[in-house]
Amino acid sequence: AFGAGLVLNRTGLLLNNRARFFSLDPHAPHTLSPKRKIPFAPSPIMAVHDEGRVLAMGSGYVDVDAQILARLAAGQGLAEALETPRLRIGHETHVTYEDRFDPSTLRALEKRGHALTSATQNFGTLCALQRHRNGSIEAAADLRGAGRAEGF
């Protein structure tokens, strides 16, 4: 959870294992190269939107959090964004997906050279809270976990 526990003296950077997502194959999609940024999953996330919404959430998985944020940006509500099927990006071109995922999207991924595997776990679980500009609060809990959203 906290990297390797080693800090570089000159830069102060904490060493971690996120570089495992890189490949030494120069033709791979995730080729290790200078100035290439590694996937990083700070969790929880707090997003402050221009129109005044504030969102707090986090699954601990950068690819899951990115999917939730993209769905919210596309207009899905909080509960719908959390319930929509997910995929996980693995090593190089491997993608693991939930069995509820859209088959046409899976075919498109296969055409682009991704190796696909269906799974039922490890897609992250999270709760999210969003305060709207008018002060109302929207909350949602991921059905994949034991959490729940309640109001008073």
Side-chain angles (χ1 to χ4, degrees):
F2 296 99
L6 300 172
V7 177
L8 299 176
N9 287 334
R10 203 174 104 223
T11 63
L13 291 175
L14 177 68
L15 298 178
N16 64 59
N17 64 352
R18 289 292 188 175
R20 72 182 178 90
F21 289 108
F22 286 128
S23 173
L24 297 177
D25 177 355
H27 304 293
H30 297 85
T31 300
L32 180 63
S33 60
K35 298 185 180 182
R36 179 114 192 234
K37 293 182 180 182
I38 59 172
F40 180 63
S43 196
I45 291 172
M46 181 170 273
V48 179
H49 301 268
D50 289 340
E51 84 283 351
R53 283 181 299 140
V54 178
L55 169 72
M57 58 158 260
S59 70
Y61 297 109
V62 66
D63 48 352
V64 169
D65 291 345
Q67 289 171 74
I68 303 299
L69 292 172
R71 291 173 181 149
L72 292 170
Q76 285 188 349
L78 206 50
E80 184 183 10
L82 267 61
E83 293 168 11
T84 302
R86 300 178 190 151
L87 46 80
R88 296 287 319 279
I89 301 163
H91 185 68
E92 299 202 6
T93 60
H94 187 262
V95 174
T96 304
Y97 64 93
E98 288 184 297
D99 58 2
R100 302 178 295 129
F101 215 87
D102 179 10
S104 66
T105 302
L106 298 174
R107 285 190 298 275
L109 288 169
E110 283 181 318
K111 280 184 177 179
R112 287 171 175 79
H114 293 281
L116 303 178
T117 303
S118 176
T120 58
Q121 58 188 15
N122 293 329
F123 291 95
T125 58
L126 64 145
C127 293
L129 184 77
Q130 185 165 233
R131 188 190 72 204
H132 293 274
R133 185 177 183 183
N134 66 5
S136 65
I137 294 177
E138 179 184 10
D142 195 335
L143 299 177
R144 293 165 187 83
R148 63 182 188 216
E150 293 185 356
F152 59 91

